[in-house]
Amino acid sequence: MIHSIYSNKDVFLRELISNASDALDKLRLEALRGTELRADTSDLHIEIEVDKEHRTLTVRDNGIGMAHDEVVGLIGTIAKSGTAEFLRELKEAKDAAASQDLIGQFGVGFYSGFMVADQVTLVTRHATETRGTRWESTGEGTYTIEELDEAPQGTSVILRLKPEDTEDSLFDYTSPWKIKEIVKRYSDFITWPIRMAAESTNADASATTDADAEADKSEDEAGEKAGEKAGDEPRLETLNSMKALWARSRDEVSDDEYHEFYKHISHDWNNPLETIRMQAEGTFEYQALLFIPSQAPLDLFMRERKRGVQLYVKRVFIMDDCEELMPEYLRFVKGVVDAQDLSLNVSRETLQQDRQIQLMRRRLVKKVLSTVKDMMSENAERYATFWKEFGRAVKEGLLDDFENRDAILEISSFASTHDPERPTTLRQYLDRMKDGQQHIYYMTGESRSIIESSPHMEAFREKGYEVLLLTDPIDEMWVGSVPEFDGKQFQSIAKGQVDLDTEEEKKEGEAEREQRKKDFAELLSWMTTTLSEQVKEVRLSSRLTTSPACVVGDTHDVTPQLENMFRAMGQDMPQIKRILELNPTHPLVTGLREAHSADPDAAGLAETAELIHGMAVLAEGGELSDPARFIKLMADRLRHTL
């Protein structure tokens, strides 16, 4: 299972160090909160220990540790739930983003050790307890677990390493230089010291110059003195710089370092799509390092989702998933915010009322939105990826972030009739608008094909007007609350009256329209009465060219799609009657008018009116209230034609 997730075996050490770093963060936070701990917090660190003779590698921290039940619940999850179940979910997820989410859900980072080890042992003690826990597994779907009367503070993960196999990219992980290389590449930014016993220089003395030998000798002597003071323990060296990336200037940090930091905080193995740096100075100082992922997590639209911005105060970790720093619609943004002026004892409750947090949030949001806008103009391909992955979430902001509504509209893209493949921005739509056009036309629906085949599109297609095709469920929500963009109002082509004629065309056709009103007045009145259970009005249409009829909503009516959404959420919705529009030039409609004029009481006229309404509902992808009756009426009519 692990081999199906990770392609680079070296990352096992990154994962174990990342877990150890989290444990140290949590212990520091509990100490700041005044929790009663049975732990020494004076020298928090991560230690890597190598035993070449027994081929073991140990990653040890003196952090928060785990209680017995936590070990069973967190570390034993896969064995408890069954590897087969996990693999089934992984297979059903199909794509990398989904796989990534499952990995986070099951805590598989720990299990990456089985790529390089044929046995993993974990010894841990929670900082508030006196007894410890020992967990051990060979990675075959089962594990053993026992309580210990004594255990060192924190957590130790001991890997019994597999034999070296360079052809399978399985390196010698007892080699100090390999350990240093991995730590430098993946974990140099970890804010806790990562220590390992320094190598003895005696074996390499013959290969050094006299000057090097003298330097090594001095270093060894210093190390021996340090060892004597520490009870003859081997001299430890710190492998990482411990420099917070967000506190370093852009020139000092490579893209690779940013990418590895992103992977550390997000548990993603893909590089981020965009890196965002911020530094505010003055009366209120803070630094931020934010990332836009390249793929949406599987839980993006799940109720139990988490946002990904961590809060630090003066380099001290305060909390994960700080919801107050990023609005719900930008929940996919990952990163770190380090404030200089907040209390270390800040709680989630006080954050909600904190003016500085609110100010940071406003600035962070504006920075993210402006970054996406820059992406639109500077890298269209990258922007297309962003919108494909996160567009649905971003549009949620149109409902509740009134301050940034215009900025969100600026970075939004929509499918339209202008191009069957590429979406359009609203700015591009405005640039293509016809002379005299006052509205941004749109239609909502379940799919592009349903909208494009709708009768509502006929006049717009014939006259060459571009229509936005809105198919996301969230589109049904925001279009009703966002009145306009850059002075142009949004107008549904399935609501209200539509008049696409120019002033000249209106004058030329005025006499004809008046005559049609007179000619169809009786039919429209009769049909409105006949279909009163289904529709609020029957009127002539100016939007139809080939279909006999269509149903439209009143200007402020809820759409059928939104009505269904509310009902699906358990809300009681009264039946909303719609308007039936007739095409006065269609033979079926003119034939019905003539038949009604000749004999208003003729048998079958009411059924014909019912059929016309049913066809209009089906043509827009709607559902009939009584499909069986419609089929019976249609079958009877077809039988009479044979």
Side-chain angles (χ1 to χ4, degrees), residues 240-256:
N240 60 322
S241 69
M242 295 181 290
K243 292 182 179 178
L245 262 67
W246 60 87
R248 293 158 63 183
S249 69
R250 179 66 182 89
D251 297 339
E252 294 179 14
V253 186
S254 68
D255 288 341
D256 286 344

Side-chain angles (χ1 to χ4, degrees), residues 19-28 30 37-39 44 60-71 74-75 122-129 131-133 151-156:
N19 288 346
S21 174
D22 290 344
L24 294 168
D25 284 340
K26 290 174 183 175
L27 181 61
R28 168 70 71 85
E30 291 303 316
L37 302 172
R38 301 175 184 271
L44 300 180
R60 181 182 299 114
D61 68 73
N62 56 350
I64 192 73
M66 288 182 285
H68 180 275
D69 290 345
E70 287 180 294
V71 174
L74 299 174
I75 303 301
L122 177 137
V123 177
T124 185
R125 174 174 66 82
H126 195 272
T128 59
E129 299 186 352
R131 292 170 61 83
T133 303
Q153 172 186 331
T155 301
S156 297

Side-chain angles (χ1 to χ4, degrees), residues 286-336:
Y286 65 91
Q287 296 161 319
L289 181 57
L290 305 178
F291 301 93
I292 298 174
S294 55
Q295 289 182 313
L298 187 64
D299 68 351
L300 186 61
F301 296 100
M302 292 182 181
R303 183 171 295 178
E304 300 302 319
R305 59 185 173 261
K306 289 186 176 181
R307 280 169 256 184
V309 178
Q310 300 176 352
L311 175 63
Y312 282 69
V313 174
K314 299 182 182 74
R315 310 276 184 90
V316 176
F317 173 79
I318 300 299
M319 69 179 69
D320 257 326
D321 189 28
C322 185
E323 297 180 2
E324 290 73 22
L325 286 172
M326 199 60 63
E328 180 77 3
Y329 71 94
L330 295 179
R331 56 189 174 272
F332 52 85
V333 174
K334 311 293 182 186
V336 166

Side-chain angles (χ1 to χ4, degrees), residues 253-415:
V253 186
S254 68
D255 288 341
D256 286 344
E257 287 178 294
Y258 280 134
H259 293 170
E260 290 308 325
F261 181 74
Y262 163 74
K263 292 172 185 176
H264 165 67
I265 62 172
S266 68
H267 303 290
D268 188 1
W269 60 77
N270 297 299
N271 290 336
L273 185 68
E274 194 71 39
T275 301
I276 304 171
R277 285 179 51 90
M278 285 186 70
Q279 183 157 344
E281 298 177 345
T283 55
F284 178 44
E285 296 185 2
Y286 65 91
Q287 296 161 319
L289 181 57
L290 305 178
F291 301 93
I292 298 174
S294 55
Q295 289 182 313
L298 187 64
D299 68 351
L300 186 61
F301 296 100
M302 292 182 181
R303 183 171 295 178
E304 300 302 319
R305 59 185 173 261
K306 289 186 176 181
R307 280 169 256 184
V309 178
Q310 300 176 352
L311 175 63
Y312 282 69
V313 174
K314 299 182 182 74
R315 310 276 184 90
V316 176
F317 173 79
I318 300 299
M319 69 179 69
D320 257 326
D321 189 28
C322 185
E323 297 180 2
E324 290 73 22
L325 286 172
M326 199 60 63
E328 180 77 3
Y329 71 94
L330 295 179
R331 56 189 174 272
F332 52 85
V333 174
K334 311 293 182 186
V336 166
V337 174
D338 188 355
Q340 303 303 309
D341 304 311
L342 289 176
S343 165
L344 290 173
N345 293 316
V346 68
S347 66
R348 291 192 182 274
E349 290 71 27
T350 57
L351 281 178
Q352 294 174 359
Q353 309 299 325
D354 193 281
R355 188 186 68 82
Q356 293 180 339
I357 286 286
Q358 294 171 1
L359 182 61
M360 277 198 295
R361 175 185 170 122
R362 289 181 64 187
R363 292 178 178 174
L364 292 171
V365 169
K366 289 184 183 301
K367 182 64 175 179
V368 171
L369 296 179
S370 67
T371 298
V372 176
K373 186 176 181 181
D374 292 341
M375 199 190 302
M376 290 177 71
S377 57
E378 296 169 8
N379 194 321
E381 185 176 343
R382 186 175 294 181
Y383 165 76
T385 299
F386 166 83
W387 192 254
K388 174 176 172 288
E389 297 293 328
F390 305 110
R392 283 177 60 195
V394 171
K395 285 187 286 187
E396 294 173 15
L398 294 171
L399 293 171
D400 49 35
D401 190 352
F402 304 107
E403 180 181 354
N404 293 298
R405 179 176 280 174
D406 289 342
I408 297 171
L409 288 173
E410 282 281 3
I411 65 168
S412 298
S413 289
F414 308 95

Side-chain angles (χ1 to χ4, degrees), residues 549-570:
C550 69
V551 284
V552 300
D554 229 342
T555 304
H556 301 293
D557 278 354
V558 172
T559 65
Q561 292 82 8
L562 191 55
E563 187 180 343
N564 291 336
M565 285 171 60
F566 284 137
R567 288 205 173 98
M569 291 186 287

Side-chain angles (χ1 to χ4, degrees), residues 107-149:
V108 180
F110 167 79
Y111 275 82
S112 63
F114 286 104
M115 290 191 296
V116 300
D118 50 28
Q119 179 177 294
V120 176
T121 303
L122 177 137
V123 177
T124 185
R125 174 174 66 82
H126 195 272
T128 59
E129 299 186 352
T130 57
R131 292 170 61 83
T133 303
R134 177 188 173 92
W135 180 99
E136 192 167 273
S137 175
T138 57
E140 296 175 352
T142 61
Y143 62 89
T144 61
I145 190 167
E146 61 177 323
E147 291 195 23
L148 304 174
D149 291 332

